[in-house]
Amino acid sequence: MIDDDTLRAALDREWAWCGLPHPPEWVSLLGRGESYAAWHVATRGTDVVVRVVRRPTDDLPRAMREEFTVLQLLPEGVGPQPVALDESGDRLGMPAMVVGLVPGEVLTDPGDWDEELLTRFARVIARLHDRAYTRCGPVGDPQRSAVSIVGAFEAGLGWWIEHQPEVVSDPEVLALLPGVRAYLAEREPWFEPVRRFALVHGDLVAANVLVEDGEPRLVDWEWAEIDDPARDLGYLGGRLASEGVQVRLDRPAVEHLVRAYLKAAPPDLAATETVESLLARRDAWEVCESLLSSLHDRRLLAEGRHEPGLTERRIAAATAGLRDVAPSAG
């Protein structure tokens, strides 16, 4: 992990590469995720974010170049502007990318997400989904002609079984799987007709939405791909919201979000969707994400990398919520 002094020394050499007019006057750590540490780097009048990898590049969910390509495809005002990319690590001593600063704050209080903000959020997603794709998959090579929620869930679960089998073998997790699988299988028919795909953020939890003066913008694009547009409606929050990451939305709020999205959606997408179809798939994505995210929290807890109290509450809430939403027939 690169520290402040090492990064500052590197930036004093590479400030022009970072898009700065002269050496930085401000270097401050914004936060650390699983894949990147993000630093706010600024001179008077110019602000960028330097994202430095925290794990081997081969272990990143998406290659750095693929995420950088995604940023180049974004409509103006949806997310950060791409500035520079160095996969070799020659510039700063570690592989890094530089993007424009997106100002704003994360809002996870349900009281902040009124109908106006939900409507504006829906419009941002609709703008992101404007371009139609006939295949889904990685941005650089979308080859699949259909999307399957059952397939997406089993692929995600398969990663955990291969890399962290002890997390999946927890009796509490094993007890949840039959109900979740049955719930997703029941909704699979809603996915079968989908043939109009879009560039999706892929991890659009509330923690990846920054709001400035009532306008939401989207950050952290490492999970972006070509996929079902309804996926980006399922992660902000709902009845299964993860504390501190998502926002707890009641059913009327969820339905308002979907209706606002459908109203703002590009005509070719709106022609193939209904509120019912989007809600059905949105709900399935929410259940899928809740189970898989809870496995991540369980791993953090087992490894002692958790936030005491908060992580335990997230696990307990996900477990109780999934039992309620997707009870096992057994």
Side-chain angles (χ1 to χ4, degrees):
M1 172 62 191
I2 195 167
D3 59 33
D4 185 282
D5 291 337
T6 303
L7 180 63
R8 184 180 291 276
L11 291 171
D12 284 340
R13 300 189 307 269
E14 299 291 348
W15 52 268
W17 174 77
C18 293
L20 300 175
H22 49 76
E25 301 165 357
W26 174 271
V27 178
S28 177
L29 180 66
L30 288 174
R32 297 185 178 96
E34 287 291 306
S35 299
Y36 294 92
W39 301 77
H40 179 191
V41 180
T43 62
R44 203 163 301 168
T46 305
D47 295 81
V48 297
V49 174
V50 177
R51 300 180 66 213
V52 180
V53 296
R54 300 191 65 209
R55 63 164 99 177
T57 53
D58 290 345
D59 292 341
L60 293 173
R62 296 286 187 276
M64 294 180 70
R65 182 164 297 278
E66 186 172 341
E67 182 178 351
F68 197 76
T69 299
V70 166
L71 298 182
Q72 295 172 313
L73 298 174
L74 299 184
E76 185 178 356
V78 168
Q81 292 292 313
V83 177
L85 172 68
D86 174 31
E87 295 176 288
S88 68
D90 292 341
R91 294 286 187 172
L92 303 181
M94 298 186 72
M97 72 171 71
V98 184
V99 301
L101 177 72
V102 175
E105 61 178 323
V106 171
L107 303 178
T108 56
D109 186 333
D112 292 323
W113 285 88
D114 57 14
E115 288 192 353
E116 178 60 28
L117 182 55
L118 288 169
T119 298
R120 293 187 179 191
F121 177 67
R123 290 171 181 165
V124 170
I125 302 174
R127 288 177 58 209
L128 173 63
H129 296 171
D130 183 68
R131 178 178 174 181
Y133 294 82
T134 58
R135 294 287 186 272
C136 57
V139 171
D141 189 26
Q143 295 187 351
R144 292 183 285 110
S145 61
V147 62
S148 164
I149 189 63
V150 171
F153 175 73
E154 294 299 343
L157 185 64
W159 186 94
W160 285 97
I161 292 172
E162 178 181 356
H163 294 90
Q164 301 280 335
E166 67 282 358
V167 175
V168 182
S169 63
D170 185 301
E172 203 166 57
V173 175
L174 293 176
L176 291 173
L177 291 180
V180 169
R181 283 182 164 130
Y183 180 97
L184 298 179
E186 185 178 290
R187 281 148 185 81
E188 184 75 4
W190 288 104
F191 289 80
E192 292 169 359
V194 178
R195 293 295 181 270
R196 198 281 192 191
F197 306 107
L199 174 61
V200 303
H201 182 283
D203 189 26
L204 207 44
V205 295
N208 288 334
V209 181
L210 296 180
V211 181
E212 176 81 352
D213 295 329
E215 295 296 335
R217 293 176 69 189
L218 319 178
V219 296
D220 293 347
W221 291 81
E222 61 183 314
W223 289 99
E225 61 182 341
I226 310 302
D227 206 347
D228 172 23
R231 181 175 173 185
D232 277 345
L233 297 169
Y235 291 3
L236 178 72
R239 68 185 295 184
L240 299 176
S242 180
E243 183 181 350
V245 177
Q246 297 170 300
V247 57
R248 193 160 189 86
L249 299 174
D250 59 21
R251 197 59 180 177
V254 169
E255 291 179 359
H256 176 85
L257 171 63
V258 170
R259 292 180 189 278
Y261 171 81
L262 188 58
K263 183 176 180 180
D268 66 318
L269 190 153
T272 64
E273 298 284 6
T274 65
V275 172
E276 185 181 18
S277 66
L278 288 171
L279 277 172
R281 301 203 314 276
R282 189 225 77 91
D283 293 349
W285 283 114
E286 181 184 12
V287 168
C288 179
E289 169 69 4
S290 181
L291 190 286
L292 296 178
S293 291
S294 74
L295 299 182
H296 174 68
D297 281 329
R298 289 176 185 274
R299 181 181 70 174
L300 294 179
L301 184 62
E303 295 176 352
R305 297 191 292 127
H306 62 293
E307 301 175 72
L310 177 59
T311 305
E312 291 91 339
R313 290 198 303 274
R314 286 177 179 167
I315 294 170
T319 302
L322 288 168
R323 283 173 179 163
D324 184 38
V325 173
S328 171

